[in-house]
Amino acid sequence: MTSRPIHLAMLLALGVLAGGAAIPARAADLRIGTQNVPTLDPHFLLLDSNIAYNQHIYGALTDTDEHGKLRPDLATSWTSDGRNTWRFNLRKGVTFHDGTPFTADDVVFSLDRVPNVPNNPSPYSGQLLGVTKILKVDDHTVDIVTDGFVPLLPAQIAKLSILSKKAMEGRSTEDLNQGRAAIGTGPYQVVQVQGKERIQLRRFEGYWGQKPDWERVEFRILPSDGARSAALLSGDVDLIEFVPLQDAARLAKTPGIVVHSGNSARVMYLGVNVDPKLEVPGGRSPMQDPKVREAISLAMNRQGLVRSTLEGYGRVATQVGVPGMLGYLDDVQADPFRPDDARKVLAEAGYPDGFATSLVCPNGRYVADAQTCQAIGQMLARIGIKASVETMPASVFFGRIKPGSNPAPLFLTAWSNVMGDAGYTLNNLYHSFDREAKMGSTNRSGYSDAETDRLIDAALREPDAARRLELLKSANRRGLEARVLLPLFSAPVVLASKASIRYDVGDSGSSEMTSAMRAHPLR
């Protein structure tokens, strides 16, 4: 994430930002400055920012709270036969924003739609991993049939939005993005979509759950970090997300402004590409050698990254997961920062003078990603690894490091496990890449190990809770010891608002997803 200093000149320029038909400030209104342009099709382009927008409009069968704990939403309860069927009992008396009753037909329609959205660059189909059929039992009961027992299913489908069959039949993603078919059961309903600039919502008074505090919410899309900070200082918005870390201390000292912070479930890690197909000058990639990977890990000053690059926010990560996740290894410590030892290990691997390589990173996708990338380049240089650092927009970066065809020996990226279960992480990041089986779908390191695959496959099917936990921990430990993904830190969540607003950031879980429902006026 880039940052710009906040100057008076920026505030004077805000006349441009304030243009358009914005919601006038009233006590019952909330104006939020957000970073990312949304899609209101909740099954198109799997990104946390899109889930964040859509959780205001739509409901799902299950949900997670601000601490990442699973809870009922449109399903009040669920049970498994322990073999291949999960039964979900639907909430009665729920209506969509247009007054249409919510029934099992809407669930079947929505979940059947998920893998069939045209031209979807990042589908939500992984959340239906193992699902073979969705069946209506009666108006308020649905069976989800799976290929064998899938214990992760209730967590997998958390936040997988349910659309109105009546409103959506024959409609497209564009109809949703324009607001014409964006009809859900959520706490807010769409009033107006103004291109890529604003979304205006109104509280749905027929909502089945707890009513949010704000009558009206406006999301103002401000991709520039400096523009969001300046808009808050000018009073143009009431709350902003993704506060530039360099600005957080300044904002916290500003009268009438308060900063809200916590830790997310997103772990930033350095990926080491061990794909044997990786072509490098001289033949075999040094990354194939476990000692080289150990040396790289010993060169990482994780505490320094938190202290300096993150301005003291965030925390050192010991694994690609956060405390409280099922399968989390409480006994694991991060590799220590020992550059002298790293040089010795590198020499033992046959590289006493180091070697040259490349490091690719996103710029502006994650908190302090470009700054972290430059810092890593300097750490590697300290042990003799001359890394050519290249940062690029997220759209280019993710196109470059595709699983199965990643040319980058080293890459910086992140993973967020909002399900609270290591099975989700292990399946996606550590399982051998298999496009047909939808396994290893984000395995960009090229890691492939038969025993790790066996442990993951068993964990994803094991009905006994104690045995499953043992399998998750074993697979997590084995993957971690391979050092193909080097955890650095869990990304902080930093928002800022008017002092008259309290915001519940939570800890871990889905706290990166900015929500008007977590904002409350101080009375």
Side-chain angles (χ1 to χ4, degrees):
M1 179 181 295
T2 57
S3 175
R4 298 183 180 88
I6 300 172
H7 298 300
L8 180 60
M10 293 186 68
L11 299 180
L12 296 175
L14 279 175
V16 176
L17 295 176
I23 290 178
R26 304 185 312 178
D29 296 340
L30 180 68
R31 300 163 301 166
I32 305 175
T34 58
Q35 182 186 61
N36 299 290
V37 176
T39 171
L40 297 188
D41 182 341
H43 304 151
F44 184 89
L45 191 57
L46 176 55
L47 290 174
D48 284 354
S49 57
N50 286 333
I51 297 173
Y53 287 119
N54 287 313
Q55 68 186 349
H56 295 79
I57 304 166
Y58 309 100
L61 293 183
T62 63
D63 191 15
T64 54
D65 65 15
E66 64 270 25
H67 304 290
K69 302 300 182 185
L70 194 66
R71 63 183 178 186
D73 191 0
L74 292 177
T76 56
S77 62
W78 47 89
T79 56
S80 170
D81 64 0
R83 297 186 301 276
N84 67 343
T85 303
W86 282 91
R87 174 159 292 185
F88 289 82
N89 300 304
L90 307 184
R91 194 176 296 278
K92 297 178 180 179
V94 176
T95 62
F96 285 95
H97 300 152
D98 61 358
T100 304
F102 160 70
T103 71
D105 292 325
D106 303 299
V107 176
V108 174
F109 170 82
S110 298
L111 299 188
D112 281 344
R113 179 181 186 267
V114 169
N116 296 306
V117 177
N119 305 313
N120 195 347
S122 182
Y124 286 68
S125 51
Q127 291 178 260
L128 293 175
L129 186 68
V131 173
T132 59
K133 285 186 291 188
I134 301 99
L135 302 175
K136 174 183 176 179
V137 178
D138 58 40
D139 279 352
H140 294 96
T141 312
V142 169
D143 281 350
I144 298 182
V145 182
T146 57
D147 179 15
F149 181 57
V150 181
L152 192 56
L153 184 71
Q156 274 184 196
I157 62 174
K159 298 187 185 298
L160 194 55
S161 297
I162 304 301
L163 297 168
S164 164
K165 179 181 178 181
K166 176 184 175 183
M168 264 306 294
E169 278 192 313
R171 299 289 189 95
S172 66
T173 292
E174 185 59 23
D175 289 309
L176 288 164
N177 285 336
Q178 294 298 321
R180 292 188 292 267
I183 295 171
T185 60
Y188 286 97
Q189 59 191 102
V190 176
V191 174
Q192 188 177 22
V193 179
Q194 297 180 26
K196 298 180 180 180
E197 298 177 1
R198 308 176 199 271
I199 301 172
Q200 295 181 356
L201 307 177
R202 180 175 65 246
R203 186 168 61 198
F204 177 43
E205 299 302 335
Y207 180 55
W208 63 266
Q210 182 176 350
K211 305 293 189 300
D213 291 321
W214 313 98
E215 288 181 18
R216 297 199 293 173
V217 172
E218 177 180 276
F219 288 104
R220 191 166 310 175
I221 293 86
L222 302 171
S224 163
D225 291 342
R228 288 195 304 282
S229 296
L232 177 64
L233 287 171
S234 73
D236 202 36
V237 297
D238 307 303
L239 171 74
I240 61 172
E241 64 176 2
F242 293 105
V243 172
L245 299 181
Q246 297 90 332
D247 293 342
R250 186 184 298 111
L251 287 171
K253 294 176 183 176
T254 302
I257 301 293
V258 62
V259 171
H260 316 272
S261 64
N263 293 300
S264 75
R266 187 174 301 284
V267 173
M268 188 77 77
Y269 65 86
L270 178 63
V272 186
N273 194 341
V274 295
D275 190 336
K277 301 190 301 294
L278 179 65
E279 296 182 4
V280 297
R284 186 173 185 267
S285 169
M287 307 307 169
Q288 294 286 330
D289 194 319
K291 284 189 174 294
V292 170
R293 303 198 295 272
E294 180 185 358
I296 292 173
S297 188
L298 291 170
M300 296 296 103
N301 186 353
R302 295 166 173 84
Q303 200 64 254
L305 288 172
V306 171
R307 183 176 58 252
S308 300
T309 308
L310 299 184
E311 304 285 337
Y313 292 98
R315 60 188 172 197
V316 169
T318 64
Q319 56 210 274
V320 186
V322 294
M325 177 184 77
L326 188 69
Y328 185 83
L329 300 170
D330 294 304
D331 60 333
V332 167
Q333 298 296 318
D335 281 335
F337 173 51
R338 291 179 181 165
D340 292 340
D341 289 347
R343 281 190 290 271
K344 292 176 183 176
V345 173
L346 204 58
E348 291 171 6
Y351 301 96
D353 301 319
F355 55 86
T357 188
S358 63
L359 167 62
V360 299
C361 314
N363 185 354
R365 171 61 184 93
Y366 305 114
V367 60
D369 49 11
Q371 298 94 317
T372 299
C373 192
Q374 295 295 337
I376 290 173
Q378 295 168 12
M379 293 173 194
L380 293 173
R382 193 170 174 182
I383 67 168
I385 298 177
K386 297 170 280 296
S388 172
V389 176
E390 185 180 3
T391 63
M392 59 197 72
S395 58
V396 178
F397 173 75
F398 289 112
R400 175 85 65 89
I401 64 164
K402 290 180 180 178
S405 58
N406 178 10
L410 294 171
F411 55 97
L412 178 72
T413 186
W415 177 256
S416 179
N417 186 339
V418 297
M419 292 185 188
D421 190 299
Y424 179 57
T425 298
L426 293 166
N427 165 41
N428 282 280
L429 297 185
Y430 285 105
H431 197 285
S432 298
F433 177 63
D434 186 335
R435 183 177 282 108
E436 292 301 316
K438 300 177 183 175
M439 304 296 280
S441 59
T442 44
N443 179 352
R444 301 181 174 100
S445 68
Y447 176 65
S448 181
D449 175 70
E451 178 60 12
T452 304
D453 288 352
R454 186 192 69 79
L455 290 167
I456 295 171
D457 290 339
L460 293 176
R461 302 292 185 182
E462 177 58 53
D464 181 77
R467 173 59 181 154
R468 183 168 185 273
L469 178 59
E470 181 184 332
L471 289 165
L472 289 173
K473 287 188 173 183
S474 295
N476 193 11
R477 194 179 304 277
R478 189 172 180 88
L480 194 61
E481 289 173 350
R483 290 189 174 91
V484 293
L485 310 179
L486 306 180
L488 300 173
F489 54 78
S490 59
V493 177
V494 184
L495 304 94
S497 72
K498 293 180 176 179
S500 56
I501 293 173
R502 172 175 63 85
Y503 189 87
D504 299 329
V505 175
D507 188 60
S508 302
S510 57
S511 51
E512 274 189 314
M513 300 180 190
T514 303
S515 168
M517 289 78 80
R518 293 185 188 169
H520 309 279
L522 294 176
R523 306 189 189 282

